[in-house]
Amino acid sequence: MRHRYSILLFPLHIIVDFLSLNVAFVGAYGIKFGTISPVFEPPYVTLWWVFNLIWLAEILVSKPYIFPRQLFKADHLIKKMLILMAVHVAIIAIYWVAVKGYYYSRGHIAITYGLFATLGIAFRIGGLLFLKEYRSRGYNNRRYIIVGYGKLATTIRGFYEAHPEMGFHFKGYFDDPTPETADQLKGNYDQLVDYVRVNQIDCVYCCMPYIDNSRLKGIVDDAEAVDYQVKLLVDFRGFLARGASVEYHDFLPVLNLSSQMLADFQVNTLKRGFDIAFSLGVIVLGAPFFLLVALITRVTSKGPVFYAQERIGRGGKPFLIYKFRSMYVNAEQGGPVLSAGYRDSRITPWGWFMRQTRLDELPQFYNVLRGDMSVVGPRPERQFFIDQIIEVAPEYKTLLKVKPGITSIGQIKFGYAANIEEMVQRLRYDLLYPERRSFLFDMWIIAQTVRVMMQGRGK
C-alpha cells in the first residue's frame, strides 16, 4: 500500500510522547526545587523508571496511536491522551500507596502531569496544523474512486470535499453507463482495474445499493494484486437512528432494527405522568399571564386569538395543534409556506415578539393534556413538509415513533426553519432525542428552553 509516510506517524507519536513525559518529569523537578541532579539518583530515578514503564504498558495494551484518518482530529487525539494520563495518574497513585512513597513530592508530580499535558496537546495541535498545510500542497494524500453511482456515492464524495484536511482526492465514479449517468462516470467495470493501476488509486469505495455481488467479488479479488483498499458503503440511514443492534447467529451478523427503547412502557408511563402534572401546573399558575397574552394578541391585530393547524403526531396520526396567532389572518391562503423569519411580512409585530420568546407555543400545553403531544419531544410538522423532508432525509420517519413535543433539541439549538434544507438541519438535532430521552434530559431541555425564552433568542 502506498502510505506516503503516514506509517511514520505511529512511531513519531510514541517517540514524542516519551520525550514529552521525560522532559516534563525532569523539568518539573527543576521548577519545584531549582535543580535536577537528584532526579538521576534514588529514590526519584526509580519513580522516573516507573513513569516510563507504566506509559509503555498503556501503549502496548490500548494501542492509542492506531486510528483512521477520519478520527485524526484534535478533539479525538486530545481526548485519548487525557484518558491515558488519567489511567497513568491512577496507577502512579496505587504505586505511591503500595511503596509508601511519601518522600516523593506531590507538587513535583502535579507539575509533571501539567507539563506533559501541555507538551502533548501542543504536539498534537501543531502536528494537525502541519498535516493540514502539508496535504493542502498535495502531499500525504489518498486517491479514491467510487464504484456504483447514486445518492450514496455523491454523499461520500461530499463528505471528503467538506473535510479536505483528511487528504482524500476524488478520481472518478465507475459504473455501467446509462443515458442519465454516462457523463458523470470516469469509466465502466471493465476499465476499473487498469485505471486503478495507472493512477495509483489507494481506496475503492463500493456502494452496495448499486453494485451486485459478482461485481463486488471481482473488485475484492483484484485488491491484493493491484494494491488498493476496498471499502463498502451500505446505506443504513434511517435505520441506525432507531437504536439498531447487531446479533450474531454463529458467525452470521444480523442487524436488529426493532427498538426496545421506543416501546419501553415504564419510560412512556413516567413521561406521561410528568407531562400531565407539568402542563396542569403551567396552565393553572400561568392563567393570568395567558389571559394577558391573549388580550394583547386580540388588540394588536384583527382576527382570532388562537390559531389551529393540522400536524402529524406519533404513528403518523394527524391532530390539531394550537398556538397564539402570530400572523395576519389568511396568511397561508396560497398554500403551506414556511416562515421567513424577520423578513416575513405575514408575521405581526406582536407575533414576532411571541416567536422570539416562544410565547406563541404556550397553548400547546392543552395539546399535552389531550395526549397529542408531550412537553419535550421532536417538533411536529405538516404532512406537506414531511413528504419533502423524507425525500432528502428518510431517517425522519424515526421521529414518528415518539410523541411530538412543545420544545426539543432542534428548537433550542436551531429554532424555526425557513425552508426544507433548514428543516433537515434541525432534524439532525431532534434525531438525538429518541436514543437519549430520560427525565434528566427532559429537564435539561426545558431549562434551556426557558433560557431561550428569557433571552428572546427564539429564531
Side-chain angles (χ1 to χ4, degrees):
M1 185 58 60
R2 298 166 287 273
H3 290 285
R4 296 185 180 88
Y5 310 112
S6 288
I7 196 171
L8 298 178
L9 293 176
F10 174 69
L12 183 62
H13 257 100
I14 296 177
I15 293 170
V16 171
D17 275 353
F18 268 108
L19 284 175
S20 299
L21 180 64
N22 287 278
V23 168
F25 189 90
V26 176
Y29 196 94
I31 293 173
K32 178 67 177 178
F33 300 107
T35 180
I36 62 172
S37 298
V39 173
F40 304 97
E41 302 172 359
Y44 269 94
V45 71
T46 304
L47 181 62
W48 191 2
W49 273 104
V50 171
F51 258 70
N52 282 276
L53 289 174
I54 293 174
W55 190 257
L56 176 62
E58 285 189 80
I59 292 173
L60 294 175
V61 172
S62 64
K63 298 179 176 61
Y65 305 113
I66 300 175
F67 35 72
R69 288 191 177 206
Q70 290 79 355
L71 295 179
F72 202 72
K73 300 177 182 178
D75 56 345
H76 179 78
L77 298 178
I78 293 172
K79 180 181 177 181
K80 271 210 166 187
M81 179 186 177
L82 294 179
I83 291 174
L84 287 175
M85 283 187 59
V87 174
H88 196 278
V89 170
I91 297 175
I92 286 293
I94 294 172
Y95 170 78
W96 182 316
V97 173
V99 302
K100 298 181 180 179
Y102 307 115
Y103 37 80
Y104 295 128
S105 168
R106 287 174 291 181
H108 163 243
I109 294 176
I111 296 172
T112 296
Y113 283 117
L115 287 176
F116 183 35
T118 301
L119 292 172
I121 292 172
F123 164 69
R124 283 158 173 78
I125 294 177
L128 285 172
L129 293 175
F130 169 78
L131 272 179
K132 185 176 182 179
E133 177 64 23
Y134 189 62
R135 287 170 177 169
S136 69
R137 299 187 180 211
Y139 302 102
N140 191 239
N141 290 310
R142 292 285 181 272
R143 301 186 182 98
Y144 74 98
I145 61 173
I146 301 175
V147 181
Y149 183 75
K151 186 174 181 180
L152 190 61
T154 57
T155 299
I156 188 64
R157 179 185 178 183
F159 171 79
Y160 284 126
E161 288 181 347
H163 297 279
E165 70 278 4
M166 293 183 182
F168 279 79
H169 286 188
F170 176 68
K171 294 299 179 180
Y173 296 111
F174 282 79
D175 202 344
D176 288 326
T178 65
E180 295 79 16
T181 64
D183 59 337
Q184 301 291 334
L185 303 180
K186 180 68 69 173
N188 57 35
Y189 288 101
D190 296 332
Q191 300 168 310
L192 190 149
V193 173
D194 289 338
Y195 185 86
V196 169
R197 184 182 289 110
V198 171
N199 292 276
Q200 294 188 312
I201 301 299
D202 297 287
C203 301
V204 176
Y205 283 90
C206 298
C207 297
M208 294 301 289
Y210 321 123
I211 179 173
D212 60 48
N213 288 340
S214 61
R215 297 285 194 186
L216 177 61
K217 185 178 183 304
I219 294 172
V220 173
D221 290 343
D222 291 331
E224 185 173 352
V226 185
D227 192 20
Y228 59 83
Q229 290 181 330
V230 179
K231 299 188 178 183
L232 304 184
L233 285 172
V234 183
D235 195 356
F236 283 139
R237 294 173 298 177
F239 296 116
L240 296 183
R242 301 178 187 180
S245 59
V246 178
E247 301 173 351
Y248 283 91
H249 297 182
D250 288 333
F251 61 89
L252 184 65
V254 177
L255 188 64
N256 180 11
L257 301 181
S258 300
S259 176
Q260 182 65 28
M261 181 277 299
L262 295 179
D264 191 327
F265 175 77
Q266 184 179 11
V267 170
N268 290 333
T269 301
L270 293 175
K271 186 173 177 65
R272 180 59 182 157
F274 169 78
D275 286 342
I276 294 174
F278 189 85
S279 298
L280 282 175
V282 171
I283 291 174
V284 172
L285 297 177
F289 183 71
F290 277 51
L291 292 173
L292 177 62
V293 175
L295 179 62
I296 297 176
T297 303
R298 184 68 182 87
V299 170
T300 53
S301 64
K302 294 181 179 180
V305 171
F306 298 104
Y307 175 71
Q309 188 179 72
E310 185 180 273
R311 297 290 176 94
I312 303 301
R314 182 166 60 182
K317 181 182 178 180
F319 69 95
L320 287 179
I321 192 173
Y322 295 94
K323 295 185 176 187
F324 284 121
R325 180 178 54 81
S326 60
M327 292 186 174
Y328 294 105
V329 177
N330 297 325
E332 288 193 331
Q333 58 184 354
V337 180
L338 291 168
S339 170
Y342 66 88
R343 301 183 303 274
D344 198 330
S345 60
R346 300 173 302 161
I347 301 175
T348 67
W350 169 245
W352 175 240
F353 173 79
M354 286 197 296
R355 282 173 171 250
Q356 285 186 305
T357 55
R358 296 286 194 265
L359 296 180
D360 60 320
E361 312 283 4
L362 291 178
Q364 290 163 37
F365 284 105
Y366 171 68
N367 285 111
V368 175
L369 290 179
R370 284 170 49 92
D372 300 324
M373 298 175 65
S374 181
V375 175
V376 178
R379 289 295 294 167
E381 297 293 347
R382 285 175 277 182
Q383 189 66 55
F384 177 81
F385 296 115
I386 290 176
D387 293 339
Q388 298 178 64
I389 294 173
I390 290 176
E391 289 183 4
V392 180
E395 57 269 32
Y396 179 85
K397 296 177 183 178
T398 302
L399 300 185
L400 298 178
K401 296 287 185 179
V402 297
K403 191 177 291 186
I406 297 176
T407 186
S408 69
I409 311 176
Q411 281 293 91
I412 59 178
K413 293 291 187 180
F414 191 88
Y416 294 111
N419 50 55
I420 296 299
E421 182 180 350
E422 290 188 357
M423 295 178 87
V424 172
Q425 292 177 28
R426 185 176 65 189
L427 167 68
R428 305 307 177 194
Y429 293 105
D430 283 338
L431 283 172
L432 299 174
Y433 183 73
E435 291 184 357
R436 300 185 182 181
R437 65 175 181 166
S438 66
F439 178 75
L440 291 178
F441 194 38
D442 282 5
M443 291 299 98
W444 179 82
I445 293 175
I446 290 172
Q448 295 300 311
T449 303
V450 172
R451 179 176 59 84
V452 170
M453 293 175 67
M454 297 296 291
Q455 296 175 349
R457 294 195 300 106
K459 172 178 171 288

